[in-house]
Amino acid sequence: ASAFVEFLACFAAARGTEKLRDVTNNIQPGCFTMLVEKVVTANIRKVRNPIDRKMAGVFAADILTKGNIAPDLWGALLQEVIALFELPVEDGDDGAVEPMMEGYSNATAILTYATKATIDPLKENCPDPKVYLVQTLDKLNKANPGQV
Protein backbone atom coordinates (compact mmCIF):
# COMPACT_ATOMS: atom_id res chain seq x y z
CA ALA A 1 0.00 0.00 0.00
CA SER A 2 2.90 2.38 0.64
CA ALA A 3 4.04 1.81 -2.95
CA PHE A 4 0.62 2.99 -4.14
CA VAL A 5 1.00 6.15 -2.02
CA GLU A 6 4.40 6.66 -3.71
CA PHE A 7 2.76 6.23 -7.12
CA LEU A 8 -0.01 8.73 -6.31
CA ALA A 9 2.56 11.24 -5.02
CA CYS A 10 4.66 10.80 -8.16
CA PHE A 11 1.61 11.26 -10.40
CA ALA A 12 0.62 14.39 -8.47
CA ALA A 13 4.17 15.76 -8.72
CA ALA A 14 4.12 15.28 -12.49
CA ARG A 15 0.52 16.23 -13.31
CA GLY A 16 -0.84 18.03 -10.25
CA THR A 17 -3.07 17.07 -7.36
CA GLU A 18 -6.10 18.67 -9.02
CA LYS A 19 -5.62 16.47 -12.10
CA LEU A 20 -5.36 13.35 -9.91
CA ARG A 21 -8.51 14.38 -8.04
CA ASP A 22 -10.41 14.99 -11.29
CA VAL A 23 -9.25 11.73 -12.92
CA THR A 24 -10.15 9.58 -9.92
CA ASN A 25 -13.50 11.30 -9.42
CA ASN A 26 -14.31 10.80 -13.13
CA ILE A 27 -13.81 7.07 -12.62
CA GLN A 28 -16.19 7.09 -9.69
CA PRO A 29 -17.59 10.11 -7.82
CA GLY A 30 -15.99 10.36 -4.38
CA CYS A 31 -13.11 8.06 -5.33
CA PHE A 32 -10.44 10.65 -4.50
CA THR A 33 -11.80 11.14 -0.99
CA MET A 34 -11.90 7.37 -0.52
CA LEU A 35 -8.27 7.07 -1.71
CA VAL A 36 -7.17 9.79 0.68
CA GLU A 37 -9.01 8.23 3.60
CA LYS A 38 -8.32 4.53 3.05
CA VAL A 39 -4.92 4.57 1.34
CA VAL A 40 -3.01 7.83 1.79
CA THR A 41 -3.91 8.61 5.40
CA ALA A 42 -3.48 4.99 6.49
CA ASN A 43 -0.15 4.36 4.74
CA ILE A 44 1.73 7.62 4.28
CA ARG A 45 3.99 6.97 7.27
CA LYS A 46 5.08 3.65 5.77
CA VAL A 47 6.85 5.31 2.84
CA ARG A 48 10.55 4.58 3.42
CA ASN A 49 12.77 6.24 0.82
CA PRO A 50 13.66 9.85 1.79
CA ILE A 51 12.84 11.25 -1.67
CA ASP A 52 9.54 9.35 -1.74
CA ARG A 53 8.75 10.64 1.76
CA LYS A 54 9.41 14.17 0.52
CA MET A 55 7.05 13.66 -2.46
CA ALA A 56 4.43 12.10 -0.19
CA GLY A 57 4.62 15.09 2.18
CA VAL A 58 4.24 17.59 -0.65
CA PHE A 59 1.39 15.50 -2.09
CA ALA A 60 -0.39 15.48 1.27
CA ALA A 61 0.10 19.25 1.65
CA ASP A 62 -1.48 19.71 -1.77
CA ILE A 63 -4.38 17.44 -0.80
CA LEU A 64 -4.97 19.57 2.29
CA THR A 65 -5.00 22.81 0.31
CA LYS A 66 -6.26 21.81 -3.15
CA GLY A 67 -7.98 18.46 -2.68
CA ASN A 68 -11.43 19.62 -1.54
CA ILE A 69 -11.64 16.87 1.08
CA ALA A 70 -14.10 16.62 3.95
CA PRO A 71 -13.23 18.57 7.12
CA ASP A 72 -13.23 15.43 9.30
CA LEU A 73 -10.63 13.84 7.01
CA TRP A 74 -8.58 17.06 6.85
CA GLY A 75 -7.47 16.86 10.49
CA ALA A 76 -6.50 13.19 10.26
CA LEU A 77 -4.41 13.78 7.14
CA LEU A 78 -2.68 16.81 8.68
CA GLN A 79 -1.81 14.70 11.72
CA GLU A 80 -0.33 11.99 9.48
CA VAL A 81 1.71 14.52 7.48
CA ILE A 82 3.21 15.96 10.65
CA ALA A 83 3.97 12.42 11.81
CA LEU A 84 5.57 11.69 8.41
CA PHE A 85 7.97 14.59 8.93
CA GLU A 86 8.67 14.11 12.63
CA LEU A 87 8.45 10.39 13.48
CA PRO A 88 10.71 7.56 12.33
CA VAL A 89 9.70 5.42 9.37
CA GLU A 90 7.03 2.83 10.17
CA ASP A 91 7.45 -0.75 9.06
CA GLY A 92 5.91 -1.15 5.64
CA ASP A 93 4.31 -4.10 3.96
CA ASP A 94 6.81 -4.28 1.12
CA GLY A 95 10.26 -5.19 2.40
CA ALA A 96 13.40 -5.58 0.36
CA VAL A 97 13.37 -8.47 -2.06
CA GLU A 98 16.44 -10.66 -2.26
CA PRO A 99 17.68 -11.16 -5.82
CA MET A 100 17.29 -14.68 -7.15
CA MET A 101 20.45 -16.06 -8.70
CA GLU A 102 20.31 -19.29 -10.73
CA GLY A 103 23.82 -19.08 -11.94
CA TYR A 104 26.50 -16.51 -12.09
CA SER A 105 27.46 -14.22 -14.87
CA ASN A 106 29.37 -10.98 -14.74
CA ALA A 107 26.52 -9.06 -16.44
CA THR A 108 23.96 -10.36 -13.93
CA ALA A 109 26.14 -9.36 -10.99
CA ILE A 110 26.70 -5.89 -12.39
CA LEU A 111 22.97 -5.32 -13.00
CA THR A 112 21.93 -6.79 -9.67
CA TYR A 113 24.32 -4.82 -7.52
CA ALA A 114 24.63 -1.59 -9.53
CA THR A 115 24.02 1.63 -7.67
CA LYS A 116 20.67 3.23 -8.30
CA ALA A 117 20.57 6.76 -9.67
CA THR A 118 18.85 9.15 -7.28
CA ILE A 119 16.31 11.40 -8.97
CA ASP A 120 14.48 14.06 -7.01
CA PRO A 121 11.63 15.49 -9.13
CA LEU A 122 10.91 18.18 -6.52
CA LYS A 123 14.52 19.34 -6.09
CA GLU A 124 14.04 22.59 -8.01
CA ASN A 125 10.51 23.55 -6.92
CA CYS A 126 10.40 22.28 -3.34
CA PRO A 127 13.68 21.80 -1.51
CA ASP A 128 12.02 21.44 1.94
CA PRO A 129 8.57 19.80 2.26
CA LYS A 130 8.07 21.11 5.82
CA VAL A 131 8.42 24.70 4.61
CA TYR A 132 6.11 23.90 1.69
CA LEU A 133 3.45 22.57 4.09
CA VAL A 134 3.60 25.71 6.21
CA GLN A 135 3.49 28.00 3.16
CA THR A 136 0.50 26.22 1.62
CA LEU A 137 -1.40 26.23 4.91
CA ASP A 138 -0.61 29.94 5.29
CA LYS A 139 -2.00 30.65 1.81
CA LEU A 140 -5.11 28.60 2.61
CA ASN A 141 -5.59 30.46 5.88
CA LYS A 142 -5.27 33.85 4.17
CA ALA A 143 -7.77 32.83 1.48
CA ASN A 144 -10.22 31.43 4.07
CA PRO A 145 -9.69 33.33 7.35
CA GLY A 146 -10.98 31.56 10.45
CA GLN A 147 -11.56 28.22 8.73
CA VAL A 148 -8.09 26.66 9.08
Side-chain angles (χ1 to χ4, degrees), residues 30-89:
C31 188
F32 183 74
T33 302
M34 184 183 69
L35 278 175
V36 171
E37 179 182 7
K38 304 290 186 191
V39 178
V40 176
T41 304
N43 297 293
I44 196 165
R45 282 198 259 172
K46 295 178 183 173
V47 176
R48 294 182 175 162
N49 182 303
I51 293 174
D52 293 336
R53 288 175 71 83
K54 178 180 174 181
M55 279 198 313
V58 170
F59 172 52
D62 282 346
I63 291 173
L64 290 170
T65 56
K66 303 172 188 171
N68 297 336
I69 58 172
D72 57 325
L73 183 56
W74 200 91
L77 182 59
L78 179 60
Q79 190 173 17
E80 290 299 315
V81 173
I82 293 170
L84 173 76
F85 293 145
E86 300 299 323
L87 297 178
V89 178

